[in-house]
Amino acid sequence: MTTTRSSAQHGFPKGRRIAAALLVSTLGGAALVACNAEAKDSQPAKASGKTVGETAGDAKITWGKCPPLAEGQTRDPHLACGTLKVPLDYQDPGGKKIDVAVSRLSTAKPGKRHGVLLLNPGGPALGGLGMPETMASTLPKSVLDRYDLIGFDPRGVAHSTPQSCGLQDPSVAGLFPYPAADGSITKNVALAEAAAKQCADTVGKNLRYYSTANTARDMDRIRQALGEKKISYWGQSYGTYLGAVYRSLFQNRTDRMVLEGNVDPTKVWADQVADTWGKGMADRFPDAARVAAAQAGTLKLGTDVAEVTRTYLALADRLDRTPAVIPGAPVPLDGALLRNMTYALLQHNDTLPMLAKFWKAADNLTHGSTTAADNEVLKEVFAATPTSPGIPADNQATMFMALTCGDAEWPHDVDGYAARTTADREKWPLTAGMPANIWACAYWDKPAEATVKIAKGGPRNTLILQNRRDNATPWEGGVGLHKSLGDGSAFVGVDNGGHYVYGAGSACADKATVGFLTTGHLPDKDVHCTDVTQK
């Protein structure tokens, strides 16, 4: 291993460009269905990878240059890119085709090559063309000698026939439904219905085919185009669900699979949000509160976790009632933005000091007493995110909804959401009722096909990596995935915080991961790593 994955390598450098940080979450999914779609358009497709779009004799990739990057970004000149034509609808393989953008970093050595390692960074709806570069900088030579690294933008995302609802607020964070200061969800109901209608009117029913199941089928087309009998896979966050779906649809074509920061596939997707996010935040928040308390003399947010927590909750409530103007920023700082910022910066241990300083700057902002240091923190946190050419501004927000609304039906009763939100606000004050609140998914029709049933058992070829205090995909997600896969998986749990396990300070977890990828051998029993060292 050469270097560890920094927050910069995941698109949010040390607290800057927070909008990019908010792209990483615990959700995942499937196909957006137009609100007024006819019932005949919602008939389930066959879930078996063998029966849906099996033949792909024309699958091929012509390698060449990669798409242009956002201003100021660079890429490895050895990274090659190409596009693959796949069916929009695998029930109609001879019908409309869409593009899937694929990248390759040829790192395997002759005589040592085992195959390809397909990569997905999660999101949901994060582009993955650059992921081979990121992983090449973190993996040891023993792994790189055995695999060519393959990235791809999932269908509908970035350079893969990108989709857009034309949303006025293009940020994923804008979709997170925080209630009003008094707990009312009236505005959330209106916004959810408007977002659903906007997508239905703008994109229409074709967006239903941009699903997790179809993305898994695209992955098998990539396998065929590469000429591989099997593929190995490393998925992070939402990518763990995508990997579990691929493994279930194409079990005989799955080689070695690493799933990191995991989604429980039995909670797709309303339950995943409502049942885990509050506890995940409660488990992780004390790590940041301790960092703030250690600087009580300068930050003055509290001398222990309990006091810092009270200060934070009071700050969030104050911003809910009276948003504060941020110098040079296009939007004010309200309670929702404070919470979203906190959620994002909790995903890495190395951004916790920045988070504590941000809380202090926000607190001073509400009192009109910001210092020069506060202004520098706010400037760094709210720096504009460069946009990549040819990708709609709301592409990820559009696909976030498409994926989270389409794999399984969400409840539709507004009163039920209101009741659950009230209860959730009381139980988990740090998330203020948002996870249980009404999302745009409440206004979608039934998914285009049945949720893929995750296959239990099968070949023992999947390594699950999970941190104990992961606010984005909490511990329970990893446990649930391990239970769903049964004897087909091995579990490595780490006493650490943050969203990433490999390269984040545990030699125990890193050894298990590298050993599996190089030899194919999984730990004989569950492993619990307690050797984390912070940098």
Side-chain angles (χ1 to χ4, degrees):
M1 180 166 53
T2 53
T3 62
T4 60
R5 287 172 293 174
S6 72
S7 43
Q9 290 169 314
H10 286 285
F12 33 104
K14 306 271 185 188
R16 292 189 293 272
R17 297 169 183 163
I18 194 62
L22 291 170
L23 302 182
V24 179
S25 74
T26 181
L27 303 180
L32 179 62
V33 181
C35 298
N36 297 317
E38 297 295 332
K40 67 181 180 180
D41 293 321
S42 298
Q43 297 302 311
K46 296 178 182 178
S48 169
K50 186 175 181 179
T51 58
V52 180
E54 173 71 22
T55 60
D58 59 346
K60 61 180 179 179
I61 303 172
T62 301
W63 299 103
K65 292 184 178 180
C66 294
L69 292 168
E71 183 179 356
Q73 295 182 347
T74 60
R75 65 162 39 103
D76 188 326
H78 298 101
L79 188 73
C81 293
T83 57
L84 177 67
K85 294 289 184 182
V86 300
L88 171 68
D89 175 10
Y90 276 89
Q91 287 283 64
D92 182 19
K96 183 177 179 179
K97 298 294 193 295
I98 59 173
D99 290 334
V100 172
V102 185
S103 63
R104 179 180 66 187
L105 197 60
S106 298
T107 55
K109 302 300 182 186
K112 294 184 178 181
R113 187 181 188 276
H114 178 76
V116 298
L117 183 62
L118 191 64
L119 307 165
N120 180 271
L126 280 175
L129 284 187
M131 199 173 176
E133 298 174 75
T134 300
M135 297 304 293
S137 69
T138 73
L139 292 170
K141 188 173 184 296
S142 60
V143 173
L144 297 178
D145 283 353
R146 287 168 169 79
Y147 298 93
D148 292 324
L149 305 182
I150 307 297
F152 70 107
D153 288 344
R155 61 166 51 204
V157 174
H159 300 285
S160 293
T161 311
Q163 300 299 295
S164 169
C165 290
L167 300 171
Q168 185 175 0
D169 181 353
S171 70
V172 172
L175 302 175
F176 289 11
Y178 285 96
D182 63 358
S184 168
I185 70 167
T186 302
K187 289 185 177 179
N188 302 122
V189 171
L191 289 172
E193 187 171 15
K197 186 177 186 302
Q198 173 76 13
C199 281
D201 291 347
T202 304
V203 184
K205 63 183 179 182
N206 273 355
L207 200 53
R208 66 172 60 199
Y209 301 117
Y210 292 84
S211 67
T212 297
N214 279 339
T215 301
R217 294 170 184 130
D218 294 342
M219 288 167 54
D220 203 58
R221 290 296 179 94
I222 293 172
R223 175 194 63 79
Q224 294 175 62
L226 294 173
E228 301 289 336
K229 292 183 179 180
K230 293 185 177 183
I231 54 172
S232 294
Y233 174 84
W234 188 319
Q236 300 167 344
S237 195
Y238 158 77
T240 64
Y241 178 63
L242 175 60
V245 169
Y246 181 85
R247 186 183 186 278
S248 298
L249 294 179
F250 303 100
Q251 193 168 97
N252 293 332
R253 301 165 197 168
T254 304
D255 195 0
R256 301 168 186 175
M257 183 169 282
V258 177
L259 304 179
E260 176 186 25
N262 299 274
V263 169
D264 184 341
T266 68
K267 294 180 179 291
V268 179
W269 289 107
D271 291 342
Q272 177 72 24
V273 181
D275 292 353
T276 68
W277 271 15
K279 185 177 186 301
M281 179 64 78
D283 289 344
R284 174 59 165 160
F285 189 88
D287 290 345
R290 277 186 283 272
V291 172
Q295 304 174 67
T298 55
L299 297 182
K300 302 186 185 305
L301 296 173
T303 58
D304 57 26
V305 168
E307 189 176 2
V308 171
T309 303
R310 288 193 296 271
T311 299
Y312 174 82
L313 291 173
L315 172 62
D317 181 71
R318 198 156 63 244
L319 289 169
D320 278 338
R321 300 175 190 281
T322 308
V325 175
I326 308 168
V331 295
L333 177 62
D334 59 10
L337 187 53
L338 175 80
R339 296 182 186 96
N340 283 333
M341 188 84 64
T342 299
Y343 168 83
L345 293 175
L346 284 173
Q347 292 183 32
H348 292 269
N349 288 325
D350 62 1
T351 55
L352 297 186
M354 170 63 73
L355 177 56
K357 292 178 183 178
F358 168 67
W359 289 342
K360 176 61 175 176
D363 190 61
N364 285 346
L365 194 65
T366 65
H367 293 104
S369 58
T370 53
T371 65
D374 292 333
N375 289 332
E376 284 301 311
V377 169
L378 294 171
K379 181 180 179 181
E380 184 175 7
V381 166
F382 289 101
T385 304
T387 57
S388 297
I391 301 175
D394 71 331
N395 174 240
Q396 195 191 2
T398 294
M399 288 304 302
F400 182 95
M401 286 193 292
L403 292 167
T404 56
C405 297
D407 268 350
E409 189 174 10
W410 288 54
H412 300 284
D413 61 311
V414 173
D415 290 343
Y417 282 106
R420 288 188 292 272
T421 299
T422 297
D424 199 64
R425 281 170 66 85
E426 294 178 1
K427 187 175 184 179
W428 308 113
L430 287 169
T431 47
M434 180 275 290
N437 201 354
I438 191 166
W439 296 62
C441 303
Y443 294 95
W444 259 266
D445 279 347
K446 292 182 180 180
E449 65 176 289
T451 304
V452 174
K453 184 177 181 180
I454 301 304
K456 193 169 187 175
R460 195 166 186 271
N461 61 1
T462 303
L463 180 67
I464 296 173
L465 304 176
Q466 182 66 48
N467 279 338
R468 171 64 71 174
R469 300 180 306 284
D470 179 346
N471 64 296
T473 50
W475 175 264
E476 289 75 14
V479 173
L481 178 59
H482 185 33
K483 182 178 180 180
S484 292
L485 297 181
D487 293 338
S489 64
F491 184 86
V492 174
V494 183
D495 185 15
N496 197 9
H499 195 33
Y500 300 95
V501 179
Y502 178 78
S506 171
C508 163
D510 292 353
K511 180 180 179 181
T513 306
V514 171
F516 171 55
L517 287 175
T518 54
T519 69
H521 176 70
L522 286 172
D524 295 329
K525 58 183 179 178
D526 293 352
V527 176
H528 294 279
C529 301
T530 59
D531 64 336
V532 174
T533 57
Q534 303 298 344
K535 297 185 176 181

